[in-house]
Amino acid sequence: MGAKTLKFTKNLIFSLIAPIAVYVLFAIICRANGIQTFGVGSDLEVIFRNTIYSGLISMAVSYNLTSGRFDFSVGATLILSVILAVDITQRMGLGPVPMLIICMVIGGILGTISGITYVMLRIPPMVVSLGITMIYEAIAFIYKSQGVKLIGQTKMLIFARQPYITILALIILAVFVFLLNFTKFGYDTNSLRSGQQIAVNAGINEKKNTVICYLLSGILMAAAGIINLSILGTASPKTGLGSSSYIMNAFLPLFIGGALAKYSDRNIGIFIGSFMQACMISILAKFNVSSSIQTIISGMVVFVFLIYTSNSYKFAEAKMFKNKLAKAKSMQVEA
């Protein structure tokens, strides 16, 4: 077996062992308590659907958050792009695929506006995003205060069903893996994350890269919005920063994706983390845990994961010290 094949096999095992272990463990717990419906049939479809929906949102958040930009406006971008896209689609009598494309184009435009605003103002991104959020929420409310409804129009709500949701997810994942790993944008993004000042001094255009990150974030949120629309059949505007709730489920997949990035790709790692989160939500629902308690448990898991990732270097240091100590003792014995 060649070195590349061995490395690929090792990375694949490390990437998949955690989600498989979580799924098997939760399935055993459910079976032990007489619950036979976890992770099979319709429940598996819901887990898979939630994986894609949360995964897209986590990917959208990651393109700015990992560079130190917390963007509150992603939820407002999702809502406004969906409302505008549905209205345009209905007026023109178009189908679900054109609706998706129109929504992603609008999402990209809204994301670009957010990015340009941040670059021009050069004030903290959280402050800028709060302002953008309120503006987008107000526009959505003024334009369609009652929201948009496609309930009963099953031909338009295909992106919550197979095989459409899988095709959409695979296309988006393939494109974004390519962008992050095989393009100048990906090289610049990774360089800026590793050392912003050094990357800028080396000639990387930080402002251009920032705007592109916002654009991609908007596209991803729009795609997630179409999936959410297909699930619920409706989309309503939110006010008072209510749209910021959309990012609450993005953090755990994001952190897991960052941890798994060294074994595969951050985008793929985020989807793996999203699958694990979807399994956790499913098992909590099976045990009739209330939504408020689910939120607390999810927050605790994120907190524990943050503690681990923030101190993971200590484990590496301890292992290095142990190896050096063992080597020193072996040299003493030989002497």
Side-chain angles (χ1 to χ4, degrees):
M1 184 180 291
K4 290 185 177 180
T5 304
L6 184 63
K7 183 179 179 181
F8 174 80
T9 303
K10 178 183 176 181
N11 289 342
L12 183 64
I13 292 173
F14 276 107
S15 297
L16 295 180
I17 189 169
I20 292 174
V22 167
Y23 178 83
V24 172
L25 174 63
F26 287 174
I28 292 173
I29 292 173
C30 285
R31 299 300 188 278
N33 287 273
I35 301 172
Q36 306 295 325
T37 56
F38 172 81
V40 295
S42 60
D43 186 64
L44 185 59
E45 291 182 11
V46 172
I47 289 174
F48 189 68
R49 188 175 65 198
N50 290 340
T51 296
I52 295 174
Y53 173 65
S54 297
L56 291 175
I57 294 178
S58 296
M59 282 176 61
V61 173
S62 74
Y63 277 86
N64 282 306
L65 187 61
T66 52
S67 295
R69 299 183 296 268
F70 194 96
D71 185 13
F72 269 109
S73 69
V74 289
T77 298
L78 181 153
I79 293 172
L80 182 56
S81 60
V82 169
I83 288 176
L84 292 175
V86 171
D87 187 62
I88 293 171
T89 301
Q90 290 179 327
R91 290 177 183 271
M92 299 180 66
L94 302 175
V97 175
M99 179 177 69
L100 171 68
I101 295 172
I102 291 170
C103 188
M104 293 175 73
V105 170
I106 294 173
I109 293 172
L110 295 176
T112 301
I113 292 172
S114 299
I116 292 175
T117 303
Y118 164 66
V119 168
M120 290 179 62
L121 296 179
R122 300 306 296 177
I123 58 178
M126 185 177 293
V127 177
V128 175
S129 66
L130 286 173
I132 293 292
T133 299
M134 289 186 285
I135 292 171
Y136 285 176
E137 286 183 347
I139 293 173
F141 185 80
I142 293 170
Y143 189 78
K144 283 281 185 180
S145 60
Q146 301 300 318
V148 292
K149 295 181 180 180
L150 294 177
I151 297 174
Q153 301 183 39
T154 55
K155 291 183 179 180
M156 296 296 295
L157 306 176
I158 64 173
F159 292 105
R161 306 195 305 266
Q162 297 292 354
Y164 307 103
I165 189 171
T166 299
I167 294 172
L168 175 62
L170 290 176
I171 291 174
I172 290 176
L173 189 58
V175 170
F176 278 77
V177 167
F178 176 79
L179 284 175
L180 194 60
N181 295 281
F182 302 102
T183 65
K184 185 178 184 300
F185 161 76
Y187 172 80
D188 291 349
T189 300
N190 292 324
S191 298
L192 287 166
R193 285 173 183 150
S194 301
Q196 191 175 62
Q197 191 58 50
I198 296 174
V200 171
N201 293 339
I204 293 176
N205 191 329
E206 179 198 358
K207 294 181 179 179
K208 178 181 177 181
N209 184 269
T210 298
V211 173
I212 294 175
C213 285
Y214 274 94
L215 181 151
L216 296 177
S217 175
I219 291 173
L220 289 167
M221 289 304 296
I226 290 296
I227 293 175
N228 192 47
L229 173 70
S230 298
I231 295 170
L232 302 177
T234 181
S236 302
K238 295 182 182 294
T239 57
L241 301 178
S243 61
S244 61
S245 62
Y246 280 89
I247 65 176
M248 291 300 104
N249 289 329
F251 296 114
L252 183 58
L254 178 60
F255 297 140
I256 294 176
L260 294 177
K262 58 184 177 181
Y263 300 118
S264 56
D265 170 82
R266 195 183 74 240
N267 299 297
I268 296 174
I270 284 174
F271 269 91
I272 292 174
S274 185
F275 172 78
M276 295 167 66
Q277 178 177 263
C279 288
M280 182 180 69
I281 293 172
S282 178
I283 191 174
L284 292 175
K286 297 300 180 187
F287 283 95
N288 297 317
V289 177
S290 65
S291 58
S292 57
I293 300 299
Q294 288 185 30
T295 302
I296 293 173
I297 293 174
S298 298
M300 290 174 62
V301 173
V302 171
F303 183 66
V304 170
F305 198 86
L306 275 174
I307 293 175
Y308 171 76
T309 53
S310 299
N311 295 276
S312 58
Y313 71 95
K314 295 181 180 180
F315 296 102
E317 289 179 349
K319 184 177 180 181
M320 290 175 60
F321 178 77
K322 183 178 179 181
N323 291 337
K324 287 182 178 180
L325 184 62
K327 186 176 180 180
K329 287 182 177 180
S330 64
M331 292 176 66
Q332 289 178 355
V333 172
E334 291 176 358

